[in-house]
């Protein structure tokens, strides 16, 4: 395992926060996924070893939670909310626009590897629907035009 | 967001004040942590008694009396007692905890510390959903600030009492909002809810120790109960519905948003505060307390008997906007997430949207829920894709009936109630719809977009 020093520091800081080591599984997986882009089998075994639990107990967590992934995705992770309030406000059109801008298919990395677009379930921002997350940033009150601007910005950043 | 004159802000009092920031300086400049200073001079039991007397009810979904929940905690087991703040905020339609955490995190920390002191808790957690990464950072930062000032950590305010708060991030699973699923998740496992009995958190919670799980908004109210006293707090709202509530309104209104109000009717919220439907449209139905709650149809009369024997006969807009008012109308105030459906919304398509949600989010432990939610997704989905079968409406009711009440956790009701109530109120639409959509020439684009399930 080749983890960045700051990832290792984050991991060492997380474990003693919990009365029982197994509780640190999710914070460790968050740290590793941020560092490596996905959770490999090797990483799952490493976490198990680190926390003194069986590898299956780590893998069962990785496979249960939608945010944890075993395969890498595009450089930017775009999650468009599909749940009712966003759908009533046009979330579906926003998603279509983002997909077509990157010539991408839902849930697959775009051909240029820049983005992976997925649907998300209610992002707890329904009052400013439709919304989407680009990595950690929430974009609200989207329209097809606004979605295009955001895509243009991502493309420009990719070239820079 | 601009504050509407009809609002009565308590928990969100400062959140939208110009210049107010999440920093401890802003909070301290507004009297922040004064109630924690008061709390540590009180007997812990006196705080529990005050919360009990306030009749504060949980703001997370079930509306259980908070003081009563605290009084169930097993204090004789000799095990540590834990407190968990539920900031999973994943019930569709709900976005109030987000405001508190991002704009006024110290109020939550103060409320948690008062609650922890009252219940002799030495370790507390905030379980925050993964999709609020900045919220988690803001909370981490706020806890550090509060530690520096002696409000959290060792020897709080020189009282000899110590308590740590740990922020724990989820990973995008709705079921982590269910309190026993949350506990499993915090133990580092799949979020499979536990069966009650025996796993009542107050007795066998986190690490099988007594545990209190409360929603963000509930815990913030502890600050205001100490500030106003139980009697003062109870002056807001009708008896048994004390305090303000933050309503999250989305969908077909002119001014969607979050509004903290005292006693009022549903009509005052939706028409006066939110401006009513968009021009040229009308309100068809309202889902009052998050997507899991039964739908309320506009135009219907809501009738029954009050506890004192008098009768009520309300239109949708007359329903008292509180726990008991919405319950009397046959639904629940739930998480306060109100979705307004206007006359452009197809009810079967809305149901298809939600069934895609529930089938995705079932934890999969109980056969009726895992299989039933998938069936319901498939049936509603083929309806919107124009492949409905004549028996589908009855089949949906049959499947929903086999889920409700036959599962480990209340998610089962959350799947069944929308199906049962939408069909009960809009059966014609389902039946006509099925017939109409079997027509290969029908325009299904808008309907598919609303269902939004691929
Ligand atoms: C499927 C399901 C999802 C839930 N999601 C949440 C949630 O996101 N946030 C929350 O506070 N409570 C949620 N609850 C309710 C919790 O189980 C629990 O009752 C609540 O956190 C208790 O806090 P309170 O008494 O302060 O309301 C959910 C319940 C169920 C059955
Ligand atoms: S009802 Fe559904 S979500 Fe709840 S425990 Fe059973 S399978 Fe899991
Ligand atoms: S439905 Fe999209 S944020 Fe809630």
């Amino acid at each position: 395992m080749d983890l960045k020093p700051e990832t290792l520091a984050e991991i060492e800081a997380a474990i003693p926060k919990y009365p029982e080591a197994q509780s640190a599984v999710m914070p460790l997986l968050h740290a590793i996924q941020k560092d490596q882009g996905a959770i490999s089998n090797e990483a799952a075994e490493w976490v198990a070893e680190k926390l003194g639990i069986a590898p299956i107990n780590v893998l069962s967590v990785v496979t249960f939670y939608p945010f944890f992934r075993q395969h890498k995705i595009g450089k930017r992770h775009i999650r468009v909310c599909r749940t009712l309030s966003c759908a009533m406000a046009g979330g579906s059109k926003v998603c279509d626009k983002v997909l077509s801008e990157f010539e991408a298919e839902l849930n697959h990395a775009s051909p240029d590897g820049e983005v992976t677009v997925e649907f998300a379930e209610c992002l707890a921002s329904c009052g400013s629907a439709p919304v989407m997350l680009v990595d950690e940033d929430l974009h609200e009150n989207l329209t097809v035009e606004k979605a295009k601007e955001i895509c243009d910005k991502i493309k420009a950043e990719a070239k820079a | 967001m601009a504050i509407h004159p009809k609002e009565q802000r308590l928990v969100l009092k400062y959140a939208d004040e110009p210049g107010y920031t999440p920093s401890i300086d802003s909070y301290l400049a507004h009297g922040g942590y004064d109630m924690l200073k008061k709390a540590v001079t009180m007997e812990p039991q006196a705080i529990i008694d005050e919360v009990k007397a306030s009749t504060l009810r949980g703001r997370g979904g079930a509306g259980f009396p908070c003081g009563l929940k605290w009084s169930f905690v097993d204090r004789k087991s000799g095990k540590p007692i834990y407190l968990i703040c539920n900031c999973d905020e994943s019930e569709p339609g709900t976005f109030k905890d987000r405001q508190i955490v991002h704009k006024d995190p110290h109020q939550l920390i103060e409320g948690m510390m008062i609650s922890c002191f009252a219940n002799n808790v030495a370790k507390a957690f905030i379980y925050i959903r993964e999709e609020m990464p900045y919220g988690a950072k803001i909370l981490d930062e706020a806890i550090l600030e509060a530690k520096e000032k002696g409000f959290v950590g060792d020897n709080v305010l020189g009282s000899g009492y110590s308590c740590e708060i740990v922020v724990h991030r989820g990973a995008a699973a709705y079921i982590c909002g269910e309190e026993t699923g949350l506990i499993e998740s915090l133990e580092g496992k799949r979020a499979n809810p536990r069966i009650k009995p025996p796993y009542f958190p107050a007795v066998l919670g986190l690490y099988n120790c007594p545990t209190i799980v409360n929603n963000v908004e509930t815990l913030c109210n502890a600050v205001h109960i100490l500030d106003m006293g139980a009697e003062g707090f109870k002056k807001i709202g009708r008896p048994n519905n004390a305090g303000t509530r933050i309503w999250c309104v989305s969908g077909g209104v002119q001014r969607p948003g979050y509004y903290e109000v005292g006693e009022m009717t549903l009509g005052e919220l939706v028409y006066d505060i939110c401006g009513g439907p968009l021009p040229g449209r009308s309100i068809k139905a309202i889902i009052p307390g998050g997507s899991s709650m039964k739908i309320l149809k506009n135009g219907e009369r809501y009738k029954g008997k009050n506890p004192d024997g008098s009768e009520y006969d309300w239109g949708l807009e007359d329903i008292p906007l509180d726990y008991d008012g919405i319950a009397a109308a046959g639904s629940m105030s739930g998480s306060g997430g109100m979705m307004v459906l206007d006359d452009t919304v197809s009810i079967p398509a809305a149901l298809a949207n939600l069934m895609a949600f529930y089938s995705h989010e079932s934890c999969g432990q109980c056969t009726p829920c895992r299989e039933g939610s998938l069936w319901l997704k498939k049936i509603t989905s083929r309806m919107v894709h124009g492949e409905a079968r004549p028996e589908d409406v009855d089949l949906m009711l049959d499947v929903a009936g086999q889920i409700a009440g036959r599962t480990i956790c209340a998610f089962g009701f959350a799947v069944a109630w929308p199906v049962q109530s939408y069909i009960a109120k809009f059966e014609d639409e389902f039946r006509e719809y099925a017939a109409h959509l079997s027509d290969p020439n029908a325009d299904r684009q808008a309907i598919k977009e609303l269902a939004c399930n691929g």
Side-chain angles (χ1 to χ4, degrees):
Chain A
M1 284 290 285
D2 200 11
L3 294 169
K4 297 184 184 109
E6 59 267 32
T7 307
L8 286 167
E10 196 182 330
I11 286 172
E12 294 306 333
I15 300 170
K17 287 187 184 171
Y18 297 93
E20 295 189 9
Q22 186 164 356
S23 285
V25 167
M26 290 172 71
L28 262 54
L29 293 176
H30 274 299
I32 292 173
Q33 182 164 295
K34 197 166 146 206
D35 183 304
Q36 312 218 314
I39 314 282
S40 61
N41 280 345
E42 187 201 357
E45 277 168 30
W46 187 89
V47 169
E49 173 91 26
K50 189 90 196 152
L51 299 177
I53 58 178
I56 183 65
N57 291 333
V58 178
L59 277 173
S60 75
V61 169
V62 174
T63 52
F64 182 87
Y65 295 90
F67 183 68
F68 294 134
R69 51 181 176 261
Q70 292 169 290
H71 301 286
K72 287 193 184 170
I73 58 171
K75 284 189 206 121
R76 311 291 291 266
H77 190 192
I78 302 183
R79 289 184 278 177
V80 186
C81 178
R82 63 154 294 280
T83 320
L84 189 54
S85 297
C86 283
M88 289 194 287
S92 178
K93 285 202 170 79
V94 167
C95 189
D96 287 346
K97 181 69 188 168
V98 177
L99 287 171
S100 73
E101 281 298 312
F102 290 97
E103 295 170 22
E105 252 181 79
L106 201 62
N107 304 328
H108 295 278
S110 56
D112 59 4
E114 282 307 322
V115 301
T116 292
V117 184
E118 295 171 353
F119 273 138
E121 298 295 352
C122 179
L123 292 170
S125 191
C126 335
S128 50
V131 299
M132 71 181 183
L133 272 172
V134 178
D135 297 327
E136 299 197 332
D137 294 319
L138 184 72
H139 297 271
E140 304 168 75
N141 294 309
L142 292 171
T143 55
V144 169
E145 293 73 37
K146 267 197 190 177
K148 165 131 185 20
E149 283 168 27
I150 294 164
C151 293
D152 288 345
K153 197 159 162 264
I154 293 173
K155 288 178 192 169
E157 283 165 4
K159 278 196 199 118
Chain B
M1 210 176 84
I3 300 172
H4 192 277
K6 276 193 138 180
E7 281 189 72
Q8 182 172 2
R9 286 203 173 193
L10 206 59
V11 175
L12 293 179
K13 196 160 165 190
Y14 304 121
D16 292 307
E17 200 174 271
Y20 193 82
T21 71
S23 76
I24 198 163
D25 296 335
S26 272
Y27 193 56
L28 289 174
H30 290 74
Y33 290 104
D34 282 355
M35 290 306 118
L36 179 62
K37 288 178 193 157
K38 179 176 168 182
V40 294
T41 67
M42 292 171 73
E43 277 301 317
Q45 187 58 45
I47 301 173
I48 297 178
D49 291 343
E50 200 67 21
V51 170
K52 229 183 198 172
S54 78
T55 69
L56 170 69
R57 294 171 69 174
R59 307 299 198 232
F64 196 81
C66 182
L68 193 60
K69 179 184 276 191
W70 292 4
S71 72
F72 290 156
V73 170
D74 182 356
R75 291 165 212 280
K76 298 204 185 78
S77 67
K79 299 184 210 169
I81 299 169
Y82 293 107
L83 182 139
I84 304 170
C85 169
N86 189 341
C87 185
D88 197 54
E89 188 150 82
S90 44
E91 174 75 8
T94 319
F95 46 96
K96 63 192 179 65
D97 300 339
R98 166 189 287 285
Q99 315 307 330
I100 298 168
V101 162
H102 286 80
K103 297 175 184 167
D104 200 6
H106 283 284
Q107 183 187 188
L108 172 61
I109 293 169
E110 183 175 16
M112 285 182 72
M113 288 304 291
I114 293 168
S115 307
C116 287
F117 177 78
N119 290 289
N120 194 24
V121 170
K123 188 129 211 165
F125 297 90
I126 303 175
Y127 192 108
I128 182 166
R129 62 182 301 184
E130 174 274 321
E131 299 92 328
M132 292 186 191
Y134 290 112
K137 282 177 201 160
I138 289 168
L139 286 170
D140 272 332
E141 179 63 26
I143 291 166
L144 279 181
E145 287 180 323
K147 269 183 132 163
E148 266 168 30
K149 302 259 187 213
F151 300 129
V152 173
D154 287 338
N155 193 14
V156 173
L157 293 163
S159 66
Y161 168 72
S162 302
C163 180
E164 297 289 341
I165 302 179
V166 174
V167 177
H168 185 91
R169 295 182 64 206
Y174 166 66
I175 198 58
C176 294
E178 196 282 335
E179 57 187 12
T180 62
L182 186 160
I183 287 170
E184 285 282 310
S185 179
L186 195 43
E187 289 186 2
K189 303 172 190 156
R190 293 181 161 214
N192 290 334
R194 297 173 175 177
I195 197 150
K196 307 180 201 177
Y199 293 104
F200 291 109
V203 184
L204 291 174
L206 186 63
Y207 312 121
N208 279 336
C209 295
T211 302
I212 294 166
V213 184
N214 274 128
N215 172 260
V216 172
E217 187 187 350
T218 314
L219 289 166
C220 288
N221 273 302
V223 179
H224 303 287
I225 291 167
L226 281 203
D227 186 23
M228 304 163 80
E231 286 313 309
F233 188 79
K234 279 202 290 190
K235 287 202 182 100
I236 309 174
R238 302 191 302 161
N240 198 35
N241 297 271
T244 60
R245 277 200 82 170
I246 307 170
W247 289 91
C248 314
V249 188
S250 63
V253 291
Q254 307 214 20
R255 288 187 292 276
Y258 49 91
Y259 301 97
E260 183 174 4
V261 303
E263 182 176 347
M264 67 168 56
T265 62
L266 199 157
E268 284 177 274
L269 175 66
V270 170
Y271 290 96
D272 301 350
I273 296 183
C274 297
L278 297 174
R281 299 198 188 169
S282 60
I283 290 174
K284 182 169 179 177
I286 290 180
I287 305 166
S291 67
S292 305
M293 297 307 154
K294 293 182 187 167
I295 204 164
L296 300 169
K297 185 178 183 177
N298 196 10
E300 185 156 304
R301 301 304 300 177
Y302 296 88
K303 296 181 194 178
K305 265 203 171 98
N306 294 306
D308 65 5
S310 61
E311 288 181 9
Y312 58 85
D313 177 1
W314 301 320
L316 180 70
E317 59 288 348
D318 309 318
I319 297 171
L321 188 65
D322 57 24
Y323 298 91
D324 293 341
I326 295 179
S331 187
M332 273 169 74
S333 63
S335 62
M338 184 177 288
M339 294 166 143
V340 178
L341 278 49
D342 70 23
D343 55 345
T344 65
V345 173
S346 142
I347 300 292
L351 188 64
N353 181 292
L354 294 179
M355 288 304 116
F357 170 80
Y358 288 106
S359 74
H360 182 254
E361 300 298 338
S362 166
C363 87
Q365 272 192 108
C366 317
T367 309
C369 171
R370 181 188 64 243
E371 303 298 317
S373 59
L374 188 61
W375 272 60
L376 289 164
K377 178 194 164 174
K378 286 185 177 165
I379 300 167
T380 50
S381 192
R382 74 179 177 227
M383 266 194 168
V384 300
H385 288 92
E387 290 146 20
R389 301 176 193 168
E391 70 273 18
D392 276 353
V393 178
D394 300 312
L395 184 58
M396 282 160 65
L397 287 174
D398 186 36
V399 174
Q402 292 186 59
I403 303 173
R406 298 182 187 196
T407 58
I408 291 173
C409 87
F411 183 104
F413 288 115
V415 185
W417 284 342
V419 175
Q420 293 168 332
S421 69
Y422 296 13
I423 296 177
K425 306 279 179 181
F426 297 95
E427 180 160 353
D428 289 353
E429 192 170 335
F430 278 90
R431 294 201 186 275
E432 267 175 43
Y433 191 95
H436 166 72
L437 278 184
S438 299
D439 169 4
N441 300 317
D443 172 19
R444 282 187 281 275
Q445 193 51 34
I447 289 155
K448 280 187 191 165
E449 281 174 12
L450 183 58
C452 201
N453 62 354

